[in-house]
Amino acid sequence: MSVFSRRALKSLGLAAGLLCLAASGVIARPAAATYAPVGPETSVPFGWVDFCQRYASECREGDGGAREIEWTDAARRRIEKINAWVNRNIDPVSDRDHWGVVDEWDYPTDGKGDCEDYALLKRRMLIEDGFPSGALLLTVVKDEHGDGHSILTVRTDRGDYVLDNLTGGVKPWSSAPYRFVKRQSQASPNVWVSIGAPTSAPMYVSK
């Protein structure tokens, strides 16, 4: 059994009382499928490169299988459940306070983490639940202040949805209050592609 399985994580006795609780859990559906406008290959975040040096098995190329999730009610409920569980059971803490460094991507096995740690755990749990890795894409955005932030994009046949530790529920990407910068390619987790008009990438992600 993976050390990052839900059963193992629950056994940690993680604290609740989170700043960013999932709200109503209602998932809004767009009138029509909308997808983030991905562009050419771009730089890979250092945090991901460093993460892959420690978790090589987590960064393997995909098996060439499905790269979209069929947006059924059952799939929606499973994704919503995992998103809410992670948001509820991980305490938010900055990398500087947690690890003593500016930027560190890791699994929140001690029940603490920042934005990319939430996204990594959601990705791992969704893969363990049977969803294709090619549809679960780590994504870097900028918030309204221009600060870096990480979320998980879920690619579906009804459009792109985002899982965010700062807001409740699962929302269409176009409803997220962010400037999208780049994300993993569907073809390979180690290839990143730009999103929308070119913009400088944040130095690090921190929320």
Side-chain angles (χ1 to χ4, degrees):
M1 177 183 297
S2 168
V3 295
F4 306 115
S5 68
R6 280 162 289 174
R7 179 178 300 175
L9 285 163
K10 288 177 182 177
S11 71
L12 292 172
L14 304 179
L18 183 63
L19 291 177
C20 311
L21 295 175
S24 65
V26 175
I27 297 181
R29 290 174 180 256
T34 60
Y35 299 94
V38 297
E41 290 185 21
T42 189
S43 59
V44 179
F46 171 78
W48 175 254
V49 175
D50 180 64
F51 172 84
C52 290
Q53 291 177 350
R54 288 174 282 116
Y55 299 98
S57 63
E58 301 294 304
C59 307
R60 292 174 181 163
E61 300 291 331
D63 59 6
R67 294 177 184 169
E68 281 190 350
I69 294 169
E70 185 180 358
W71 198 238
T72 63
D73 286 341
R76 175 184 59 80
R77 286 192 296 268
R78 287 160 58 198
I79 292 169
E80 177 186 16
K81 182 177 180 180
I82 287 173
N83 181 64
W85 189 91
V86 174
N87 282 357
R88 186 171 59 248
N89 287 282
I90 303 301
D91 285 326
V93 61
S94 70
D95 284 333
R96 191 176 295 280
D97 291 338
H98 197 191
W99 308 110
V101 297
V102 173
D103 196 25
E104 177 88 0
W105 294 28
D106 210 329
Y107 288 114
T109 52
D110 62 354
K112 301 176 183 179
D114 68 353
C115 56
E116 71 274 356
D117 306 330
Y118 283 82
L120 284 166
L121 179 55
K122 292 173 186 179
R123 177 179 180 270
R124 178 70 266 158
M125 292 177 69
L126 287 167
I127 291 172
E128 290 181 348
D129 205 38
F131 291 102
S133 61
L136 306 170
L137 311 171
L138 296 171
T139 303
V140 173
V141 300
K142 289 183 179 181
D143 66 13
E144 66 275 16
H145 304 295
D147 295 328
H149 180 49
S150 282
I151 58 178
L152 184 68
T153 296
V154 176
R155 180 84 172 188
T156 82
D157 60 355
R158 291 291 303 274
D160 289 337
Y161 287 80
V162 297
L163 282 60
D164 188 1
N165 66 299
L166 297 181
T167 62
V170 178
K171 298 178 174 64
W173 79 277
S174 56
S175 298
Y178 302 128
R179 167 71 171 87
F180 283 69
V181 178
K182 57 185 174 181
R183 77 182 189 195
Q184 290 174 307
S185 163
Q186 289 183 268
S188 168
N190 303 311
V191 174
W192 288 63
V193 293
S194 60
I195 303 176
T199 184
S200 59
M203 291 298 293
Y204 61 93
V205 292
S206 59
K207 295 187 176 183

